[in-house]
Amino acid sequence: MTPSQPVILGEMPSLSKLYVNAAATAARRRVLGTHAGAGLPETRHEVRGVNAAVENLTAYQHLIGETASDVLPAGFIHALAFPLAMSVMNRDDFPLPLLGMIHLENRVVQSAPLRFSEALDIRAWAENLRGHRSGTQLDLVTEVRRPGEAAVSWRGVSSYLAKGVFLPGIDKPTAAPVPAGFSAPDPTALWQLGVDTGRAYAAVSGDFNPIHLSVLSAKALGLRRSIAHGMYLASRALADVGAAKGDAFSWDVAFEAPVFLPARVALDISTVKDADGAWQRSDYVAWNSRSGRKHFSGSVAALQ
């Protein structure tokens, strides 16, 4: 359900300022021993007339492996809208710490293509606060429209976990789901990811989260090495699916284990076609080519 109280921002927020403010908020709450309560803000944030920078689009397409086009890739739209979603989590009345959030899943429905020449209206809000065996999770919803249109062209739902944070009144699940066994298939692609992968994606997405940038910045937040952005990995898998997906599709990804950089990632894509040979769906899974541990999996499917 969309919150009815809008907060209209004059421009897209700065991610770097949001991260600085999140660090200050976390420090203040630790010192004062305060928190923002156990409910999500009943507001949505909106920015109208957002334009994508063509130089960012070109750099993104080159980095991810997308074909050069004036159509915005679905992963690029996520990156474009991400600061607005982050601004919701950066509110004083947001109950969970922004820093250290773990991205669990992402679900996108793209109903129509969007082009870089179009101004876009974007809105975001948080919903579905719930317990997790390791903490508390929630969904951040982002919708993108053309100005003046009621129809949503792109909708993303990102699920995040605040590990180790248990809010009062939020029940913890009684049993953890048992993950299915994984046997690595023959890969259709091998990705060689350098130690600078996180910095390269940050440069085109604007997401300079310290856990992705360097060994030192990642260690400061409790990780042994920097890790690849989840949406970089998912977007690269989407690019590998190729043009068969068309302009209207659903796209989902579930993240299981982080990719510590540098890394060699194996990817398998399997395609399902109908009786007439038309593309219906592509399923993908990625894993560590040395250990066989699964990193993430998902699917891309035609909209019915």
Side-chain angles (χ1 to χ4, degrees), residues 111-188:
S111 304
L114 296 168
R115 290 174 167 79
F116 82 87
S117 57
E118 298 175 305
L120 304 174
D121 290 348
I122 304 174
R123 65 182 185 180
W125 67 91
E127 65 181 27
N128 197 16
L129 190 69
R130 59 202 185 276
H132 185 279
R133 64 187 182 279
S134 299
T136 304
Q137 62 182 325
L138 78 155
D139 295 335
L140 276 178
V141 183
T142 308
E143 292 183 343
V144 181
R145 293 175 169 81
R146 293 183 178 88
E149 291 189 3
V152 176
S153 296
W154 186 100
R155 187 178 197 269
V157 180
S158 301
S159 298
Y160 290 95
L161 165 67
K163 191 172 183 179
V165 179
F166 297 92
L167 296 178
I170 305 295
D171 292 334
K172 181 180 177 181
T174 56
V178 178
F182 174 68
S183 179
D186 292 332
T188 55

Side-chain angles (χ1 to χ4, degrees), residues 22 63 65 71 80 89 116 135 161 201 204 206 219 231 239 250 300 302:
L63 179 67
V71 174
L80 183 68
M89 290 198 289
F116 82 87
L161 165 67
Y201 182 74
V204 301
K219 281 186 174 180
M231 289 308 294
S250 64
V300 186

